[in-house]
mmCIF file of all heavy atoms in Angstrom:
data_model
loop_
_atom_site.group_PDB
_atom_site.id
_atom_site.type_symbol
_atom_site.label_atom_id
_atom_site.label_comp_id
_atom_site.label_asym_id
_atom_site.label_seq_id
_atom_site.Cartn_x
_atom_site.Cartn_y
_atom_site.Cartn_z
ATOM 1 N N ASN A 763 0.713 -1.213 -0.041
ATOM 2 C CA ASN A 763 -0.117 0.043 -0.040
ATOM 3 C C ASN A 763 0.779 1.249 0.012
ATOM 4 O O ASN A 763 0.409 2.243 -0.551
ATOM 5 C CB ASN A 763 -0.976 -0.074 1.208
ATOM 6 C CG ASN A 763 -2.050 -1.054 0.932
ATOM 7 O OD1 ASN A 763 -2.586 -1.340 -0.048
ATOM 8 N ND2 ASN A 763 -2.492 -1.516 2.134
ATOM 9 N N ALA A 764 2.051 1.202 0.562
ATOM 10 C CA ALA A 764 2.898 2.387 0.615
ATOM 11 C C ALA A 764 3.398 2.799 -0.761
ATOM 12 O O ALA A 764 3.590 3.890 -1.017
ATOM 13 C CB ALA A 764 4.038 2.222 1.601
ATOM 14 N N LYS A 765 3.597 1.694 -1.541
ATOM 15 C CA LYS A 765 4.063 1.933 -2.951
ATOM 16 C C LYS A 765 2.960 1.898 -3.960
ATOM 17 O O LYS A 765 3.147 1.967 -5.139
ATOM 18 C CB LYS A 765 4.999 0.883 -3.372
ATOM 19 C CG LYS A 765 6.329 0.937 -2.533
ATOM 20 C CD LYS A 765 7.353 -0.163 -3.044
ATOM 21 C CE LYS A 765 8.548 -0.104 -2.394
ATOM 22 N NZ LYS A 765 9.664 -1.197 -2.804
ATOM 23 N N ASN A 766 1.657 1.702 -3.560
ATOM 24 C CA ASN A 766 0.652 1.646 -4.378
ATOM 25 C C ASN A 766 0.759 0.680 -5.499
ATOM 26 O O ASN A 766 0.461 0.845 -6.671
ATOM 27 C CB ASN A 766 0.202 3.063 -4.936
ATOM 28 C CG ASN A 766 0.028 3.986 -3.917
ATOM 29 O OD1 ASN A 766 -0.938 3.882 -2.963
ATOM 30 N ND2 ASN A 766 0.650 5.162 -3.896
ATOM 31 N N THR A 767 1.176 -0.511 -5.108
ATOM 32 C CA THR A 767 1.620 -1.552 -6.071
ATOM 33 C C THR A 767 1.045 -2.856 -5.664
ATOM 34 O O THR A 767 1.104 -3.162 -4.438
ATOM 35 C CB THR A 767 3.139 -1.627 -6.223
ATOM 36 O OG1 THR A 767 3.687 -0.420 -6.778
ATOM 37 C CG2 THR A 767 3.558 -2.714 -7.208
ATOM 38 N N VAL A 768 0.546 -3.722 -6.636
ATOM 39 C CA VAL A 768 0.039 -4.949 -6.421
ATOM 40 C C VAL A 768 0.943 -5.872 -7.271
ATOM 41 O O VAL A 768 1.291 -5.552 -8.337
ATOM 42 C CB VAL A 768 -1.462 -5.117 -6.751
ATOM 43 C CG1 VAL A 768 -1.614 -4.869 -8.139
ATOM 44 C CG2 VAL A 768 -1.917 -6.474 -6.191
ATOM 45 N N TYR A 769 1.207 -7.059 -6.695
ATOM 46 C CA TYR A 769 2.170 -8.013 -7.363
ATOM 47 C C TYR A 769 1.340 -9.386 -7.634
ATOM 48 O O TYR A 769 0.420 -9.689 -6.836
ATOM 49 C CB TYR A 769 3.394 -8.257 -6.514
ATOM 50 C CG TYR A 769 4.066 -7.084 -6.084
ATOM 51 C CD1 TYR A 769 3.861 -6.461 -4.834
ATOM 52 C CD2 TYR A 769 5.026 -6.648 -6.861
ATOM 53 C CE1 TYR A 769 4.661 -5.290 -4.640
ATOM 54 C CE2 TYR A 769 5.832 -5.452 -6.747
ATOM 55 C CZ TYR A 769 5.591 -4.828 -5.480
ATOM 56 O OH TYR A 769 6.201 -3.598 -5.177
ATOM 57 N N LEU A 770 1.705 -10.186 -8.563
ATOM 58 C CA LEU A 770 1.250 -11.522 -8.761
ATOM 59 C C LEU A 770 2.435 -12.334 -8.967
ATOM 60 O O LEU A 770 3.094 -12.355 -10.072
ATOM 61 C CB LEU A 770 0.146 -11.554 -9.969
ATOM 62 C CG LEU A 770 -0.369 -12.964 -10.103
ATOM 63 C CD1 LEU A 770 -1.369 -13.214 -9.083
ATOM 64 C CD2 LEU A 770 -1.155 -13.019 -11.484
ATOM 65 N N GLN A 771 2.734 -13.294 -8.117
ATOM 66 C CA GLN A 771 3.855 -14.284 -8.154
ATOM 67 C C GLN A 771 3.150 -15.402 -8.782
ATOM 68 O O GLN A 771 2.243 -16.067 -8.157
ATOM 69 C CB GLN A 771 4.456 -14.506 -6.706
ATOM 70 C CG GLN A 771 5.473 -15.508 -6.772
ATOM 71 C CD GLN A 771 6.771 -15.156 -7.524
ATOM 72 O OE1 GLN A 771 7.218 -14.093 -7.536
ATOM 73 N NE2 GLN A 771 7.240 -15.993 -8.491
ATOM 74 N N MET A 772 3.678 -15.860 -9.820
ATOM 75 C CA MET A 772 3.131 -17.087 -10.574
ATOM 76 C C MET A 772 4.210 -18.122 -10.711
ATOM 77 O O MET A 772 5.240 -18.016 -11.285
ATOM 78 C CB MET A 772 2.743 -16.621 -11.943
ATOM 79 C CG MET A 772 1.717 -15.428 -12.093
ATOM 80 S SD MET A 772 1.102 -15.301 -13.714
ATOM 81 C CE MET A 772 2.587 -14.510 -14.508
ATOM 82 N N ASN A 773 3.972 -19.254 -9.938
ATOM 83 C CA ASN A 773 4.804 -20.398 -9.914
ATOM 84 C C ASN A 773 4.173 -21.626 -10.678
ATOM 85 O O ASN A 773 2.890 -21.547 -10.836
ATOM 86 C CB ASN A 773 5.161 -20.692 -8.513
ATOM 87 C CG ASN A 773 5.883 -19.630 -7.672
ATOM 88 O OD1 ASN A 773 6.686 -18.920 -8.426
ATOM 89 N ND2 ASN A 773 5.612 -19.515 -6.450
ATOM 90 N N SER A 774 5.075 -22.474 -11.043
ATOM 91 C CA SER A 774 4.508 -23.745 -11.653
ATOM 92 C C SER A 774 3.604 -23.430 -12.855
ATOM 93 O O SER A 774 2.527 -23.980 -13.036
ATOM 94 C CB SER A 774 3.739 -24.619 -10.672
ATOM 95 O OG SER A 774 4.614 -24.991 -9.681
ATOM 96 N N LEU A 775 4.008 -22.624 -13.696
ATOM 97 C CA LEU A 775 3.274 -22.001 -14.764
ATOM 98 C C LEU A 775 3.003 -23.149 -15.739
ATOM 99 O O LEU A 775 3.827 -24.110 -16.094
ATOM 100 C CB LEU A 775 3.917 -20.803 -15.446
ATOM 101 C CG LEU A 775 3.675 -19.687 -14.833
ATOM 102 C CD1 LEU A 775 4.842 -18.486 -15.195
ATOM 103 C CD2 LEU A 775 2.279 -18.947 -14.884
ATOM 104 N N LYS A 776 1.786 -23.134 -16.339
ATOM 105 C CA LYS A 776 1.252 -24.084 -17.374
ATOM 106 C C LYS A 776 1.045 -23.333 -18.720
ATOM 107 O O LYS A 776 0.687 -22.191 -18.661
ATOM 108 C CB LYS A 776 0.054 -24.748 -16.765
ATOM 109 C CG LYS A 776 0.129 -25.428 -15.470
ATOM 110 C CD LYS A 776 -1.134 -26.000 -15.034
ATOM 111 C CE LYS A 776 -1.114 -26.639 -13.582
ATOM 112 N NZ LYS A 776 -2.295 -27.192 -13.194
ATOM 113 N N PRO A 777 0.912 -24.224 -19.779
ATOM 114 C CA PRO A 777 0.695 -23.548 -21.005
ATOM 115 C C PRO A 777 -0.732 -22.893 -20.933
ATOM 116 O O PRO A 777 -0.848 -21.799 -21.605
ATOM 117 C CB PRO A 777 0.740 -24.826 -22.028
ATOM 118 C CG PRO A 777 1.678 -25.692 -21.431
ATOM 119 C CD PRO A 777 1.479 -25.525 -19.965
ATOM 120 N N GLU A 778 -1.661 -23.323 -20.245
ATOM 121 C CA GLU A 778 -3.008 -22.805 -20.176
ATOM 122 C C GLU A 778 -3.040 -21.466 -19.475
ATOM 123 O O GLU A 778 -3.920 -20.805 -19.405
ATOM 124 C CB GLU A 778 -3.925 -23.804 -19.589
ATOM 125 C CG GLU A 778 -3.543 -24.414 -18.308
ATOM 126 C CD GLU A 778 -2.936 -25.889 -18.433
ATOM 127 O OE1 GLU A 778 -2.146 -25.964 -19.417
ATOM 128 O OE2 GLU A 778 -3.306 -26.706 -17.566
ATOM 129 N N ASP A 779 -1.895 -21.200 -18.801
ATOM 130 C CA ASP A 779 -1.941 -19.784 -18.190
ATOM 131 C C ASP A 779 -1.456 -18.730 -19.082
ATOM 132 O O ASP A 779 -1.528 -17.638 -18.775
ATOM 133 C CB ASP A 779 -0.722 -19.861 -17.011
ATOM 134 C CG ASP A 779 -1.115 -20.778 -15.918
ATOM 135 O OD1 ASP A 779 -2.310 -20.628 -15.463
ATOM 136 O OD2 ASP A 779 -0.144 -21.465 -15.357
ATOM 137 N N THR A 780 -1.119 -19.130 -20.331
ATOM 138 C CA THR A 780 -0.877 -17.972 -21.418
ATOM 139 C C THR A 780 -2.028 -17.179 -21.635
ATOM 140 O O THR A 780 -3.163 -17.606 -21.919
ATOM 141 C CB THR A 780 -0.598 -18.772 -22.735
ATOM 142 O OG1 THR A 780 0.773 -19.575 -22.491
ATOM 143 C CG2 THR A 780 -0.244 -17.858 -23.850
ATOM 144 N N ALA A 781 -1.862 -15.881 -21.529
ATOM 145 C CA ALA A 781 -2.915 -14.830 -21.738
ATOM 146 C C ALA A 781 -2.344 -13.563 -21.554
ATOM 147 O O ALA A 781 -1.122 -13.378 -21.191
ATOM 148 C CB ALA A 781 -4.061 -15.100 -20.620
ATOM 149 N N VAL A 782 -3.088 -12.499 -21.861
ATOM 150 C CA VAL A 782 -2.870 -11.134 -21.504
ATOM 151 C C VAL A 782 -3.313 -10.955 -20.076
ATOM 152 O O VAL A 782 -4.559 -11.178 -19.758
ATOM 153 C CB VAL A 782 -3.389 -10.282 -22.482
ATOM 154 C CG1 VAL A 782 -3.155 -8.707 -21.932
ATOM 155 C CG2 VAL A 782 -2.803 -10.392 -23.906
ATOM 156 N N TYR A 783 -2.473 -10.548 -19.144
ATOM 157 C CA TYR A 783 -2.913 -10.255 -17.816
ATOM 158 C C TYR A 783 -3.202 -8.647 -17.599
ATOM 159 O O TYR A 783 -2.185 -7.953 -17.831
ATOM 160 C CB TYR A 783 -1.703 -10.770 -16.847
ATOM 161 C CG TYR A 783 -1.878 -12.220 -16.818
ATOM 162 C CD1 TYR A 783 -1.525 -13.090 -17.786
ATOM 163 C CD2 TYR A 783 -2.239 -12.839 -15.515
ATOM 164 C CE1 TYR A 783 -1.484 -14.453 -17.735
ATOM 165 C CE2 TYR A 783 -2.341 -14.342 -15.396
ATOM 166 C CZ TYR A 783 -1.938 -15.065 -16.517
ATOM 167 O OH TYR A 783 -1.910 -16.451 -16.420
ATOM 168 N N TYR A 784 -4.122 -8.435 -17.060
ATOM 169 C CA TYR A 784 -4.649 -7.044 -16.818
ATOM 170 C C TYR A 784 -4.809 -6.850 -15.270
ATOM 171 O O TYR A 784 -5.416 -7.655 -14.544
ATOM 172 C CB TYR A 784 -5.947 -6.706 -17.298
ATOM 173 C CG TYR A 784 -6.208 -6.864 -18.999
ATOM 174 C CD1 TYR A 784 -6.316 -8.093 -19.516
ATOM 175 C CD2 TYR A 784 -5.779 -5.839 -19.803
ATOM 176 C CE1 TYR A 784 -6.457 -8.209 -20.942
ATOM 177 C CE2 TYR A 784 -5.804 -5.837 -20.987
ATOM 178 C CZ TYR A 784 -6.137 -7.080 -21.721
ATOM 179 O OH TYR A 784 -6.058 -7.232 -23.042
ATOM 180 N N CYS A 785 -4.285 -5.650 -14.981
ATOM 181 C CA CYS A 785 -4.467 -5.124 -13.532
ATOM 182 C C CYS A 785 -5.672 -4.384 -13.438
ATOM 183 O O CYS A 785 -6.228 -3.649 -14.372
ATOM 184 C CB CYS A 785 -3.350 -4.323 -13.111
ATOM 185 S SG CYS A 785 -3.368 -3.613 -11.437
ATOM 186 N N ASN A 786 -6.405 -4.554 -12.311
ATOM 187 C CA ASN A 786 -7.642 -3.850 -12.116
ATOM 188 C C ASN A 786 -7.707 -3.255 -10.729
ATOM 189 O O ASN A 786 -7.165 -3.742 -9.678
ATOM 190 C CB ASN A 786 -8.884 -4.803 -12.219
ATOM 191 C CG ASN A 786 -10.069 -4.358 -11.703
ATOM 192 O OD1 ASN A 786 -10.553 -4.437 -10.542
ATOM 193 N ND2 ASN A 786 -10.921 -3.700 -12.623
#
């Protein structure tokens, strides 16, 4: 919250995770 930043750590990625990722 201090940096106004959100993160997404993605591990064990699979081919079906392929996509455009959007922040909201």
